[in-house]
Amino acid sequence: MITFGSVAKRGRGWLPLIGLNALIGSAVTLALPSILGRSVDSIVAGTGYTLWLIAAAAAIGLGIVASLIDAFAGAACVAETTAWLRHRLVRQVVRGGPEGNRGFETGDLVTRVSANATDAAQAGPAAVTAIAAIAPPVGSLVLLALIDPWLAAAFFGGVLLVILVLLAFARRTADVSLAYQETQGRIAARLSESLTGIRTIAAAGTTGREERRILGLLPELHKQGVVTWRILARSGAQAAVVGPLVLVAVLAVGGIQLVAGHITAGELFAASQYAVLGAGLGNLTGVIGEIARAKAGVQRAAEVGAIAEVPHGSLKLPVGSGHLTFDHVSVVADGNVLLNDVSLDLPGGMTVAVVGPSGAGKSVLAAVAARLRDPSTGHVSLDGVPLQAVSRHALRRAVGCAFERPQLVGRTIGESIAPDAINPVRTLAAARATHAHDFVSRLPNGYFTSLRRAPMSGGERQRLGLARAWPANRLLVLDDATSSLDTATERQIGRTLTEDRHHRTRLIVTHRPATAARADLVVWLDHGQVRAVAPHADLWNNTSYREVFG
């Protein structure tokens, strides 16, 4: 679980170093007024001031060194914590699968993992700095009490006002910081949506409208920024008024005590410096602002950290050819029944086409078969083992998926086929089997061509998606994965799938009658239910079945 405390603790060895340097800085800050006060008394007395001036120079030098070390340690601490937090969030996002991330928009997730993780990583240094910042005022109160109790009383009254200002600032700025980060995430989400459909936007001539939609949240972001600055300005102004009052009160009492002979001129000088330190509590507004942003960042990161990982078992699959069974499987999402009590027994090594009208549940059935989502009730088994009991590694070796719009991952064409490691033999075999080699071999750098710069049609991208799924040894799930192919290529790949020498089960979601005709069995879905399971030729006499294909 990601909490403010758990993020702060990730500072490990850096936090003690930051705290030590903060204490050294506070000690120097507290010592300097007394040293300078003694210097003043020594100068007035005309003797011994050289030693005190050397001590003052040494204290200043020590303070500078401590500040430099603190700056370095703070930056290193934030960098390491950010790296740890991003690693954990990315792991959670990836292992949560499609269902785990359904509640987040892509751009918002990117903002949480990038910008908000950096804000959250400030938790440790900001907390240590805030605690250390209390030391000078508390020390000032103690030292003033040693000089004269009345000076301490005057100082304490003023500091209480400063504390009230800080508490009000902390309460107001926390909510605004969270709202600001949430609005940034919404803007990023809209931008991500537009980038995904940029070709459609350009073709429709709606770029201006889309720009206004993305930036439509800027007034809200501006409003929250203005509120933040107003809170900061108000608190700063209040602290600016209270600070001089503390100094005036201490100087007034100190002047009376000096005239009465209860304190020396040097002690009055030291008391004035301690009064400035007490008023300096107002400088904590910056630190409190960092803590507020860190808390907001932690809260947004914690929501991602709460994504449930897809649980996997530890079983291996027995020897088999992909015998796939659905046992009373139902899928319900947001109150909608996507699959309703589906029971299927699909023998291994067969080509099974899944057909049906739009919204029939074909893609849901494919996702459940590949364990990209789990059923609400019932279970799916592969070669007699429930998918949920199979280990992650065994499942992904056994099951391969290809989609209508594949998202290709990797730096090069070769990596998009074999993401884990470029295995030339495996890559070439998969590319030849899916006829991706036909166009890849014509590229200037072949399989080493940059994926981002490679000119590809929709059908060519689908062939790469098929090649990536091809090495699966038990089950190939193709969700309309040949819809963008030309007729000749689709026929070639269909023949390859039908005559699969690996004897795997092929579950193919399709809208083409030719693909259904080449399959051994057809699963006909309608409104989330199985209407029939039979060869295509047997079903073709049914008018409603023919209407599925238009």
Side-chain angles (χ1 to χ4, degrees), residues 165-166 169 186 265 320 385 460 473 490-491 513 516 545:
V165 170
L166 292 176
F169 172 77
R186 290 163 59 196
V385 182
E460 289 169 340
N473 56 33
E490 195 274 338
R491 187 181 299 113
Y545 179 76

Side-chain angles (χ1 to χ4, degrees), residues 324-327 329 365 368-370 375 378-382 385-388:
L324 188 65
T325 58
F326 290 74
D327 185 10
V329 170
L365 182 77
V368 170
H379 66 268
V380 181
S381 299
L382 185 62
V385 182
L387 292 183
Q388 290 179 316

Side-chain angles (χ1 to χ4, degrees), residues 29 85 121 152 178 216 219-220 222 229 236 267 274 287 358-359 511 517 522:
T29 301
L85 188 55
L178 180 59
E220 183 178 343
H222 171 74
W229 283 109
E267 288 174 332
Y274 290 133
V287 178
S358 178
H511 296 89
V522 173

Side-chain angles (χ1 to χ4, degrees), residues 293-433:
R293 289 190 294 273
K295 287 181 67 177
V298 168
Q299 181 173 334
R300 284 173 57 77
E303 292 171 0
V304 178
I307 293 175
E309 293 187 13
V310 177
H312 289 273
S314 58
L315 298 182
K316 295 181 180 180
L317 289 169
V319 175
S321 55
H323 181 195
L324 188 65
T325 58
F326 290 74
D327 185 10
H328 297 287
V329 170
S330 295
V331 176
V332 180
D334 300 325
N336 299 314
V337 180
L338 306 181
L339 288 180
N340 185 15
D341 196 29
V342 172
S343 291
L344 293 169
D345 189 351
L346 306 177
M350 300 187 71
T351 302
V352 181
V354 181
V355 304
S358 178
K362 302 184 297 296
S363 292
V364 178
L365 182 77
V368 170
R371 218 201 156 197
L372 297 179
R373 69 185 303 166
D374 288 329
S376 304
T377 59
H379 66 268
V380 181
S381 299
L382 185 62
D383 287 325
V385 182
L387 292 183
Q388 290 179 316
V390 181
S391 70
R392 182 194 302 272
H393 179 70
L395 180 65
R396 292 309 159 207
R397 280 178 56 86
V399 181
C401 309
F403 309 97
E404 180 182 7
R405 297 181 181 87
Q407 295 295 322
L408 302 179
V409 180
R411 294 172 299 174
T412 64
I413 295 290
E415 286 185 9
S416 72
I417 297 174
D420 297 332
I422 298 179
N423 184 325
V425 176
R426 172 186 169 187
T427 301
L428 187 61
R432 286 188 184 279

Side-chain angles (χ1 to χ4, degrees), residues 59-348:
I60 292 172
L62 180 61
I64 292 173
V65 171
S67 296
L68 292 174
I69 295 175
D70 181 68
F72 173 80
C77 179
V78 170
E80 288 189 7
T81 304
T82 300
W84 165 78
L85 188 55
R86 284 176 176 165
H87 179 83
R88 178 166 177 177
L89 295 181
V90 169
R91 174 190 174 98
Q92 209 73 23
V93 168
V94 172
R95 296 203 171 190
E99 289 304 301
N101 297 299
R102 191 176 294 276
F104 298 92
E105 296 177 282
T106 303
D108 184 43
L109 269 179
V110 172
T111 301
R112 290 171 188 256
V113 174
S114 55
N116 297 155
T118 304
D119 291 329
Q122 300 282 346
V128 171
T129 302
I131 294 171
I134 299 173
V138 172
S140 297
L141 179 63
V142 173
L143 292 172
L144 280 172
L146 293 176
I147 295 173
D148 187 272
W150 290 107
L151 292 175
F155 175 85
F156 183 71
V159 167
L160 282 179
L161 295 177
V162 176
I163 291 173
L164 292 175
V165 170
L166 292 176
L167 289 176
F169 172 77
R171 186 173 59 254
R172 291 194 296 260
T173 196
D175 295 335
V176 175
S177 295
L178 180 59
Y180 191 89
Q181 291 182 6
E182 288 177 342
T183 304
Q184 284 181 317
R186 290 163 59 196
I187 292 175
R190 291 186 180 183
L191 177 60
S192 177
E193 290 173 3
S194 298
L195 290 175
T196 301
I198 193 67
R199 288 194 303 174
T200 303
I201 294 167
T206 57
T207 52
R209 184 174 66 187
E210 194 63 20
E211 180 181 349
R212 289 190 295 273
R213 186 183 77 89
I214 295 169
L215 300 179
L217 291 172
L218 280 183
E220 183 178 343
L221 193 69
H222 171 74
K223 177 182 176 182
Q224 291 160 356
V226 169
V227 171
T228 301
W229 283 109
R230 283 178 178 170
I231 292 172
L232 184 61
R234 186 183 301 117
S235 300
Q238 291 170 344
V241 171
V242 174
L245 290 177
V246 176
L247 179 59
V248 169
V250 171
L251 287 177
V253 173
I256 294 172
Q257 297 299 88
L258 178 65
V259 171
H262 295 154
I263 62 174
T264 66
E267 288 174 332
L268 178 59
F269 174 81
S272 67
Q273 296 302 303
Y274 290 133
V276 171
L277 290 179
L281 266 176
N283 296 329
L284 272 173
T285 51
V287 178
I288 292 174
E290 283 187 6
I291 292 177
R293 289 190 294 273
K295 287 181 67 177
V298 168
Q299 181 173 334
R300 284 173 57 77
E303 292 171 0
V304 178
I307 293 175
E309 293 187 13
V310 177
H312 289 273
S314 58
L315 298 182
K316 295 181 180 180
L317 289 169
V319 175
S321 55
H323 181 195
L324 188 65
T325 58
F326 290 74
D327 185 10
H328 297 287
V329 170
S330 295
V331 176
V332 180
D334 300 325
N336 299 314
V337 180
L338 306 181
L339 288 180
N340 185 15
D341 196 29
V342 172
S343 291
L344 293 169
D345 189 351
L346 306 177

